Amino acid sequence: MWYLILGIDYDNSLAARLAARPAHLARLQALAEAGRLKLAGPLPAIDGEDPGPAGFTGSVIVAQFPSLAEAKAWAEADPYVAAGVYRQVDVRPFRPVLP
């Protein structure tokens, strides 16, 4: 089953995000290599490719897990959670339709 993971950042968490980014990306890369990652990316705080010091408001991940419980456990173990980047993580079942 696919799951949408929505991480919502704390205000002013850009420095913590940048510090934890390599570990965060390594976990996403492992999902991608296993064929379990549909998409992942940050939510810029402003309308632009590179938000600069405005930073980000969160991240979206769509990935495949055996169960909702396992998706939630994976999301809660994200380095961004440990680093204090995410103030909230929401995990929901997701059904891809297009493309």
Side-chain angles (χ1 to χ4, degrees):
M1 176 88 186
W2 293 98
Y3 295 90
L4 180 131
I5 300 168
L6 176 63
I8 304 297
D9 288 15
Y10 283 104
D11 292 338
N12 303 310
S13 62
L14 183 58
R17 176 182 271 272
L18 293 175
R21 188 171 188 260
H24 171 78
L25 291 178
R27 293 178 84 232
L28 292 172
Q29 186 61 43
L31 284 178
E33 290 171 2
R36 296 173 46 205
L37 183 65
K38 184 165 279 299
L39 67 89
L43 304 171
I46 60 172
D47 187 14
E49 186 72 24
D50 180 2
F56 301 91
T57 60
S59 301
V60 171
I61 299 165
V62 176
Q64 198 171 42
F65 295 92
S67 69
L68 178 59
E70 290 179 62
K72 285 181 176 183
W74 186 92
E76 289 299 329
D78 193 292
Y80 282 174
V81 172
V85 174
Y86 292 157
R87 67 174 169 81
Q88 177 183 339
V89 178
D90 189 18
V91 181
R92 299 177 186 204
F94 180 81
R95 191 178 63 146
V97 175
L98 294 171

